[in-house]
């Protein structure tokens, strides 16, 4: 006869309660489990494990769910009060109470018997947790955004030019924290050179993994643990990089637009950074900080779409943009969708040259982080790309 853990557990409880009255115990076991137990079977089973805890067949598991929450299933020694204690449960499952919050918990009793300790109470404990909103939120909102004063950038009126071209600056996958301001200073200097000339409109697309982490604990936006970086320094480095570019654009251009574009690493951090820029420069630049996956801005009659392409394959994005932005689509003489995410340069799709759309994956000048290094993704060229448009077409692409 093969015994289950539950049957063995109950046998030990009965011996603890009634002693070695095997015939009586066999009757109780038969009533409990609905199958016949004989006295000799119960006695042999007990003698086989007289001083050991019951053999527990329990498989502990830990899952990371698609939404970034974690599910843990463990066998834990605790009492009934501890089973109701959120902090105890988090610690027992190995979660830092300062970084995680309990979503749900279910605890089922498993009693274990030994001659030395008698009946001990264990619980089959299943909990689901999610990352807490980190202190990084408060740091950015309270210490940076709310304290930023607006400033006035003088316009260089003598440089205004009715025939001035448009400039698009999509610097994707910068991953500040892995790379810093000193590393990106040459890129900044090259872009400043282009911003010294008069422009009709300068479009900054900021986000798309501007930061490597989304908080101070080394998580991405989904809660996945990755290489932890100094986010306070990363935020300051990104500010030192972008503030002079935006000020130069405001000084020399008729219009400046700054769009936040969602990335998979830094949803909050990237959004908060653009909100900080908005707090400082919104009197002289137009900001779009909406939390939308797909956005469009028209540079003259040129359709400029943006999406990180981490959720939907880039090759299929044209159907979304043509449906969601029909007015801009119909008025455009050129249509380009700029995507990032894969840290390489690629023309993903061209749908004929007459009124179609080009999907361009942007390269990145970011350093190679530990994950990309371990996976062997180290061979792509390290550079960024900006584009110059006339009223009706793409005129030039510059590597910076």
């Amino acid at each position: 006869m093969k015994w289950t853990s539950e049957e063995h557990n109950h046998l030990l409880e009965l011996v603890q309660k009634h002693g070695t009255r095997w015939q009586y115990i066999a009757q109780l076991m038969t009533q409990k489990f609905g199958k016949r137990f004989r006295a000799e079977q119960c006695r042999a089973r007990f003698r086989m494990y007289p001083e050991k805890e019951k053999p527990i067949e329990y498989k502990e598991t830990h899952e990371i769910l698609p939404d970034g929450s974690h599910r843990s299933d463990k066998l834990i020694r605790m009492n009934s009060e501890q089973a109701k204690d959120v902090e105890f449960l988090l610690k027992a499952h190995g979660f830092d109470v300062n970084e995680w919050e309990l979503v749900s918990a279910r605890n089922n009793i498993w009693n274990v018997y030994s001659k030395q300790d008698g009946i001990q109470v264990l619980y089959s404990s299943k909990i689901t947790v999610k990352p807490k909103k980190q202190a990084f939120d408060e740091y950015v909102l309270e210490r940076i955004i709310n304290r930023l004063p607006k400033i006035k950038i003088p316009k260089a009126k003598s440089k205004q030019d009715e025939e001035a071209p448009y400039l698009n600056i999509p610097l994707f996958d910068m991953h500040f924290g892995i790379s810093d301001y000193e590393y990106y200073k040459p890129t900044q200097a090259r872009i400043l050179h282009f911003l010294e000339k008069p422009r009709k409109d300068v479009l900054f697309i900021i986000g798309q993994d501007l930061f490597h982490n989304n908080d101070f604990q080394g998580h991405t936006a989904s809660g996945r643990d990755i290489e932890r970086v100094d986010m306070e320094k990363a935020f300051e480095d990104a500010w030192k990089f972008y503030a002079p570019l935006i000020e130069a654009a405001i000084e020399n251009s008729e219009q400046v637009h700054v769009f936040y574009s969602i990335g998979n690493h830094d949803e909050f951090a990237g959004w908060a950074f653009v909100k900080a820029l908005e707090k400082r420069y919104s009197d002289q630049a137009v900001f779009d900080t909406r939390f939308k996956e797909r956005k469009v801005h028209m540079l003259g009659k040129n359709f400029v779409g943006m999406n990180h392409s981490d959720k939907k394959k880039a090759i299929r994005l044209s159907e979304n943009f043509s449906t969601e932005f029909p007015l801009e689509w119909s008025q455009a003489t050129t249509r380009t969708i700029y995507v990032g995410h894969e840290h390489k340069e690629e023309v993903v799709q061209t749908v004929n040259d007459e009124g179609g759309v080009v999907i361009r994956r942007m390269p990145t000048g970011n350093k190679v982080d530990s994950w990309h290094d371990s996976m062997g993704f180290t061979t792509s060229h390290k550079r960024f790309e900006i584009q110059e448009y006339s009223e009706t077409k793409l005129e030039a692409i510059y590597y910076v």
Side-chain angles (χ1 to χ4, degrees):
M1 174 181 177
K2 184 176 180 180
W3 287 68
T4 67
S5 297
E6 185 181 4
E7 291 165 352
H8 185 85
N9 184 39
H10 192 58
L11 173 65
L12 298 180
E13 292 178 8
L14 293 176
V15 173
Q16 174 77 0
K17 185 175 181 180
H18 302 290
T20 55
R21 298 166 58 192
W22 298 119
Q23 192 65 42
Y24 180 57
I25 286 173
Q27 292 175 4
L28 295 177
M29 291 288 291
T30 299
Q31 293 172 8
K32 169 73 173 176
F33 295 103
K35 65 180 183 181
R36 186 182 178 191
F37 287 82
R38 296 191 299 273
E40 184 57 34
Q41 287 176 325
C42 294
R43 180 171 59 184
R45 181 70 182 184
F46 180 76
R47 288 177 176 176
M48 189 179 298
Y49 303 99
E51 296 182 355
K52 298 179 181 178
E53 294 186 351
K54 66 172 185 175
I56 301 173
E57 300 173 3
Y58 198 90
K59 185 179 180 181
E60 295 187 353
T61 61
H62 185 109
E63 298 177 76
I64 301 177
L65 305 179
D67 64 356
S69 61
H70 289 223
R71 183 183 295 145
S72 175
D73 185 351
K74 297 182 72 172
L75 199 60
I76 297 173
R77 188 181 301 277
M78 58 184 169
N79 57 41
S80 59
E81 290 304 311
Q82 289 171 324
K84 304 171 189 174
D85 187 331
V86 171
E87 186 171 316
F88 176 85
L89 289 174
L90 287 170
K91 289 180 178 178
H93 282 265
F95 293 99
D96 188 326
V97 296
N98 295 314
E99 298 184 18
W100 298 88
E101 59 181 297
L102 187 68
V103 176
S104 65
R106 182 176 180 181
N107 303 304
N108 298 318
I109 294 177
W110 284 58
N111 290 329
V112 178
Y113 170 77
S114 70
K115 280 191 173 182
Q116 179 179 349
D117 301 319
I119 296 177
Q120 301 296 310
V121 178
L122 294 180
Y123 281 79
S124 167
S125 180
K126 301 178 179 66
I127 68 171
T128 301
V129 300
K130 65 179 181 180
K132 279 185 175 180
K133 286 194 171 182
Q134 305 297 338
F136 185 73
D137 300 20
E138 181 179 347
Y139 167 81
V140 173
L141 295 174
E142 296 299 325
R143 290 179 56 188
I144 297 180
I145 295 179
N146 291 341
R147 297 185 183 185
L148 279 172
K150 290 186 184 294
I151 62 172
K152 187 76 172 178
I153 308 298
K155 284 283 188 181
K157 294 182 180 180
S158 60
K159 292 186 177 183
Q160 296 306 307
D161 182 356
E162 288 298 321
E163 301 301 320
Y166 301 85
L167 195 64
N168 181 37
I169 306 179
L171 308 180
F172 296 168
D173 297 291
M174 297 190 78
H175 288 263
F176 274 100
I178 297 296
S179 299
D180 58 16
Y181 174 65
E182 290 300 318
Y183 176 77
Y184 281 139
K185 277 180 75 173
T187 298
Q188 183 190 53
R190 288 191 287 271
I191 297 173
L192 282 170
H193 169 72
F194 288 95
L195 292 173
E196 290 172 356
K197 303 173 184 177
R199 306 286 173 180
K200 248 183 187 174
D201 190 1
V202 175
L203 170 62
F204 291 92
I205 305 175
I206 302 178
Q208 298 225 14
D209 296 348
L210 174 68
F211 298 108
H212 191 62
N213 294 165
N214 198 45
D215 56 30
F216 283 137
Q217 280 69 41
H219 300 138
T220 64
S222 68
R224 182 168 63 92
D225 292 324
I226 58 170
E227 185 175 356
R228 185 170 177 172
V229 302
D230 184 345
M231 281 298 289
E232 187 169 356
K233 182 178 185 301
F235 205 93
E236 292 171 353
D237 282 346
W239 189 269
K240 286 190 287 186
F241 179 87
Y242 266 110
L245 297 182
I246 291 174
E247 291 177 14
I250 291 172
E251 179 182 355
N252 297 305
S253 304
E254 290 183 32
Q255 297 183 79
V256 176
H257 287 83
V258 182
F259 275 57
Y260 163 65
S261 187
I262 299 172
N264 63 302
H265 272 246
D266 63 343
E267 285 184 358
F268 172 77
W271 171 86
F273 179 79
V274 180
K275 290 298 289 185
L277 292 172
E278 182 181 30
K279 181 72 181 295
R280 193 165 184 85
Y281 300 111
S282 59
D283 284 350
Q284 295 177 283
V286 179
F287 284 78
D288 185 333
T289 58
R290 294 173 300 156
F291 202 76
K292 293 180 66 66
E293 286 286 342
R294 293 168 294 279
K295 294 181 180 180
V296 164
H297 179 63
M298 297 295 290
L299 290 175
K301 294 183 180 180
N302 301 286
F303 180 106
V304 178
M306 59 203 81
N307 175 259
H308 196 49
S309 81
D310 59 305
K311 299 178 178 66
K312 184 172 184 177
K313 289 184 177 180
I315 198 169
R316 296 183 58 197
L317 285 174
S318 58
E319 61 193 32
N320 292 89
F321 279 87
S322 62
T323 302
E324 296 171 23
F325 306 96
L327 181 62
E328 294 90 339
W329 188 274
S330 66
Q331 294 176 343
T333 53
T334 71
R335 303 176 188 89
T336 307
I337 301 170
Y338 293 93
V339 301
H341 186 53
E342 294 188 6
H343 294 208
K344 64 181 181 180
E345 183 178 7
E346 181 182 19
V347 177
V348 180
Q349 178 190 36
T350 304
V351 183
N352 77 64
D353 291 332
E354 297 178 4
V357 61
V358 177
I359 300 175
R360 292 187 178 274
R361 191 178 301 283
M362 292 292 94
T364 178
N366 178 40
K367 292 179 181 177
V368 177
D369 60 61
S370 59
W371 184 85
H372 284 84
D373 182 59
S374 66
M375 298 299 290
F377 300 146
T378 60
T379 58
S380 59
H381 290 82
K382 297 299 173 189
R383 58 191 182 188
F384 294 102
E385 180 183 303
I386 64 176
Q387 302 83 30
E388 188 175 76
Y389 285 88
S390 66
E391 186 69 22
T392 59
K393 64 181 179 179
L394 176 63
E395 295 287 352
I397 294 174
Y398 302 103
Y399 292 109
V400 294

